[in-house]
Amino acid sequence: MSIALSVIVRPSRVHRLLLLGCGLGQCAAALAVGIGAPARFPGAYWLAPVLAGSALTLMLGAARRPKTHRIDISGTGELRVTVQQDVGVTGPATGVPMAAQPVTLLPGSVHWPMLALLRYRTADRPGAAAGVLPVWRDSVDPAAWRTLAVALAVIGRRCGGEGFDKIR
């Protein structure tokens, strides 16, 4: 069965809005704790700055320039993930674009109705850190979403069921 496809994963508006909403919630909590906590909890002077710092981190995460990814799956089920900035992924030392390398889907990759979390690692470096690519439903076309979900489920079954879990 051929499952060849190429999907462009654009930045998700839902993800950015969730980050911004969580940041605003943390900011409100920092204000509430900063105003109410000194009277009620004299030793909790550190709590308001911690909440404000987490609010700043979340809001900066929502404000940063998101990256576009491309997922290529060959007819044999080989998976490739590429960051789409200009031409491709640049090498760390040279700055020269390099071709996308094959990756393996790791256990713990999940698919929900609105979100798929893909855990992957480059095939030639098994000891390297795993990458996680969140694929939100609004970041791909509806037809590509269905095709990608089916292709990833097939790849997961080929790996003995450990590569891709379906959570409902």
Side-chain angles (χ1 to χ4, degrees):
M1 177 177 134
S2 177
I3 55 172
L5 73 120
S6 180
V7 176
I8 300 294
V9 180
R10 297 178 309 272
S12 173
R13 293 180 301 275
V14 171
H15 186 90
R16 291 183 82 168
L17 287 175
L18 285 173
L19 282 175
L20 184 63
C22 288
L24 290 174
Q26 288 284 352
C27 191
L31 285 173
V33 166
I35 293 171
R40 298 179 78 188
F41 306 105
Y45 59 88
W46 54 270
L47 193 56
V50 168
L51 289 170
S54 65
L56 180 65
T57 302
L58 287 167
M59 288 188 196
L60 287 176
R64 72 178 169 84
R65 183 177 171 204
K67 298 176 183 173
T68 301
H69 293 80
R70 187 177 82 201
I71 300 172
D72 295 321
I73 300 177
S74 70
T76 59
E78 184 178 65
L79 184 70
R80 294 175 184 265
V81 177
T82 309
V83 178
Q84 297 293 306
Q85 291 179 343
D86 299 330
V87 178
V89 179
T90 58
T94 61
V96 177
M98 59 185 198
Q101 297 178 353
V103 296
T104 56
L105 200 60
L106 297 175
S109 298
V110 293
H111 178 261
W112 293 295
M114 290 298 293
L115 172 67
L117 292 173
L118 305 179
R119 293 187 67 234
Y120 63 91
R121 181 178 295 138
T122 56
D124 60 344
R125 293 178 29 201
V132 178
L133 177 62
V135 182
W136 288 84
R137 192 174 196 136
D138 73 330
S139 62
V140 296
D141 297 328
W145 174 260
R146 289 187 297 272
T147 308
L148 182 64
V150 169
L152 291 172
V154 168
I155 291 172
R157 278 190 224 112
R158 285 184 184 172
C159 299
E162 296 181 8
F164 191 71
D165 301 324
K166 174 80 174 177
I167 297 178
R168 295 175 190 237

